[in-house]
Each structure stands twice: as structure tokens, then as C-alpha cells.
Amino acid sequence: MRRPSGQSDSITLPGVRAALRDAKALISRSVETLSPDDPGHFGPGSVSWRIFSNASYGISGIAAVLVQALHPVAMAAVDRYSAFRTDAWRRARMTADYVFAITFSGRATADSAAERVRAIHRSIGVDDPELLLWVHAVHTDCALRGYEAFVRRLSEADRDRFVAEQVVAAELVGLGRADVPGTYSELRSYLDSVPGLGVTEPARDFARLLLGARMPPAMRPFWALHVVGAASLLPAAPRRDYGLPGALPTGRLARALVAAAIGAIDRGYRLFRPVREARRRLRDVERARLGSAFKGG
């Protein structure tokens, strides 16, 4: 598929200060509508709060888009409609903003964000249920696997809880509950059953631009960490077909190094006032909900 004329041949990422500024704004917005009376669609104690509040999600998100691009129809839609070539950072911010909004915001805010996304999908004709299910399933699977690879293993019950919680996210984009995998086993069975997956030329071009993004020198170690981590989550065949460097580490040592870095980043996030305030807000909501439940009991 030819890309429209005038599009850039490279993706440019911002510097560290700009990236942190964007992250702070996103975190602040995501929790400002939470309250004990409205803990959102997932709420205190959910596995979704645990996974999406961890720094590992940044790596999982990169892995997810690379796996989602294996679906020829999904990649064709990205190649045709997405602004990844001309404004990749803004596109990434929008995706993260949406995930954080439906996860950590009050229900009205989450529902409004979902309606905007459904309207965009309708306007460009990518509201096909099969395509939406693929994108949802890959996002859920990668978020879960990234957390387990770089933070800690979950129990079978918590894996199932997370997949079941994410059915709500699927409904928010317009899928029917009965059509969405509700357990981890069902999720894996669905992903293993999707035919026709592969690295097309647009997908290879997408990966090349994404993983070889231009950026200020101070941003490169941070991005390299995410590239190594995302690559380690990919199956061997897509890694090879994407043309990722053969020397890119993917074994236990690579995962251990990435896990250590993710732990440091997660601790570092807590130094930023918006993050501290967001975590405090989540704790306050959780305490209030638990106190209410105790009194009611």
C-alpha cells in the first residue's frame, strides 16, 4: 500500500522534559473525576488498576501495536488512517490517554472517552467487530504478559480476573459481552485461532519507523529499554519477520535487566507530584470503599 504523499519517512519522539510533561498531564487528568461514590468501571482492588498503573505498561503497549499490526486488515487501517508517520507521539498519547481514562476515571468521563473513540471508528469505517476484537484481545494479552514478565507473576485467578475486567473495556468500544473472551484460557484460544496473521510490508515499515524513531540523545536509553522489552514479548517468527536485530537480547537475562529498569522507573515516577497525587487519590478511594463495605457488613 502506498503511503500518501507528503508523509514523513521517520518518526520523531520528543525530549525527556516534553515526554514527562505529557505524562504528568495525562496522569493528572486520568484520576481527577474519581471519587468514593464513583470509583470508575474497575475500582479499588481491580487487577486492571494494578497492571495499568505500573511502568511496564509502556513496554506492553509497544509490543501490542507490533502484534496488532500482524493482522493485515488492522495494519491497512493504521497505514491509511493513523497519524503514526506524521505525529506518532500525539497518537501514542491519545491511546494512553484513552486507556487511562476508561481505567482510572469516573464512569461518566470514561463513557464519554469511549463514545468519542466509537465515533472516530464509525467515521473512518473501522468499527468492524472482528477487527475491534483482535485489537482488544492483543492489548489485553500484552498488558498481562508484560506485567508478568517485568513485575511479578499473577495467580491463575488474577489472570482470569483481569481478562474478565477487560470485557468492560471491550464493551466500551462497542463489542458485545458474549463475543469477548472472559477468561485467560478463552483469550489465548481466540488469539491462537485468528488466521492470516503475518508481517506485511506496511507492518514492516511501521515497525522500522517505530523502533528506529529519531529522538534527542537523552531519550535514547529510555527508548532502547522499551524496544528490548517489547521485542522480548514478541513470538520468534514476528521478531524475525520484522527484521529485528538478531543480537537483540530476549532471554531471561534481558527480561531480568528490563524488569530491574522498570522497577527503577516505577519508583522514579513516584517522585513526581502528579503521580503521588494520583496514587493518593486511588488509595483514598480504595479506603473509602472498603470502609463503606465494612460498615455495610
Side-chain angles (χ1 to χ4, degrees), residues 81-92:
Y81 297 111
S82 176
F84 81 88
R85 295 181 191 276
T86 55
D87 197 354
W89 186 247
R90 177 176 174 273
R91 183 68 185 84

Side-chain angles (χ1 to χ4, degrees), residues 5 10 13 36 59 73 77 79 81 106 142-143 147 150 159 167 181 189-190 193 202 217 222 231 248-249 265 283:
S5 60
S10 65
L13 298 184
I59 289 176
V73 178
D79 199 45
Y81 297 111
C142 286
Y147 185 86
F150 307 125
R159 285 194 199 107
V167 173
S189 294
Y190 162 74
S193 73
F222 181 77
L248 202 61
I265 290 171
R283 288 195 300 270

Side-chain angles (χ1 to χ4, degrees), residues 12-290:
T12 302
L13 298 184
V16 174
R17 289 185 180 180
L20 288 175
R21 183 183 63 243
D22 291 341
K24 290 175 183 179
L26 185 153
I27 291 165
S28 298
R29 286 196 304 271
S30 67
V31 299
E32 63 186 2
T33 58
L34 273 183
S35 71
D37 294 327
D38 183 5
H41 283 288
F42 302 100
S46 67
V47 185
S48 295
W49 274 25
R50 194 188 320 170
I51 287 178
F52 290 125
S53 66
N54 190 272
S56 64
Y57 177 57
I59 289 176
S60 302
I62 296 172
V65 297
L66 291 173
V67 176
Q68 287 163 352
L70 299 177
H71 195 298
V73 178
M75 187 59 236
V78 169
D79 199 45
R80 183 174 181 181
Y81 297 111
S82 176
F84 81 88
R85 295 181 191 276
T86 55
D87 197 354
W89 186 247
R90 177 176 174 273
R91 183 68 185 84
R93 288 203 318 268
M94 289 173 61
T95 299
D97 204 3
Y98 173 71
V99 173
F100 279 29
I102 66 170
T103 304
F104 298 111
S105 296
R107 286 180 177 247
T109 300
D111 292 347
S112 294
E115 173 53 38
R116 289 194 296 273
V117 168
R118 292 196 302 271
I120 292 172
H121 288 170
R122 288 193 299 268
S123 69
I124 61 178
V126 293
D127 54 350
D128 172 48
E130 292 186 9
L131 185 57
L132 293 177
L133 179 57
W134 166 253
V135 171
H136 163 79
V138 171
H139 180 263
T140 301
D141 181 61
C142 286
L144 177 57
R145 290 195 299 111
Y147 185 86
E148 290 202 303
F150 307 125
V151 185
R152 65 180 60 88
R153 296 281 293 176
L154 296 174
S155 67
E156 184 177 342
D158 276 350
R159 285 194 199 107
D160 284 343
R161 280 181 60 201
F162 179 63
V163 175
E165 289 168 7
Q166 289 304 296
V167 173
V168 175
E171 290 182 298
L172 286 171
V173 295
L175 290 167
R177 173 172 287 268
D179 300 323
V180 182
T183 67
Y184 182 66
S185 176
E186 291 175 357
L187 178 68
R188 289 305 319 169
S189 294
Y190 162 74
L191 289 170
D192 292 340
S193 73
V194 178
L197 302 179
V199 178
T200 60
E201 197 56 40
R204 190 174 291 107
D205 191 33
F206 172 64
R208 178 181 62 81
L209 295 175
L210 179 66
L211 301 180
R214 294 164 50 190
M215 66 201 78
M219 192 73 169
R220 289 172 189 166
F222 181 77
W223 189 244
L225 166 73
H226 282 67
V227 169
V228 170
S232 75
L233 295 177
L234 294 181
R239 275 173 47 80
R240 181 189 65 245
D241 294 343
Y242 271 131
L244 295 175
L248 202 61
T250 59
R252 291 183 179 179
L253 177 59
R255 291 196 177 197
L257 292 174
V258 173
I262 286 296
I265 290 171
D266 201 52
R267 290 189 293 274
Y269 280 165
R270 301 175 197 181
L271 299 176
F272 298 124
R273 184 171 57 82
V275 178
R276 294 200 308 272
E277 292 177 351
R279 289 178 183 261
R280 178 185 55 77
R281 186 90 172 240
L282 298 181
R283 288 195 300 270
D284 289 347
V285 170
E286 187 165 11
R287 288 195 200 99
R289 296 286 291 183
L290 289 174

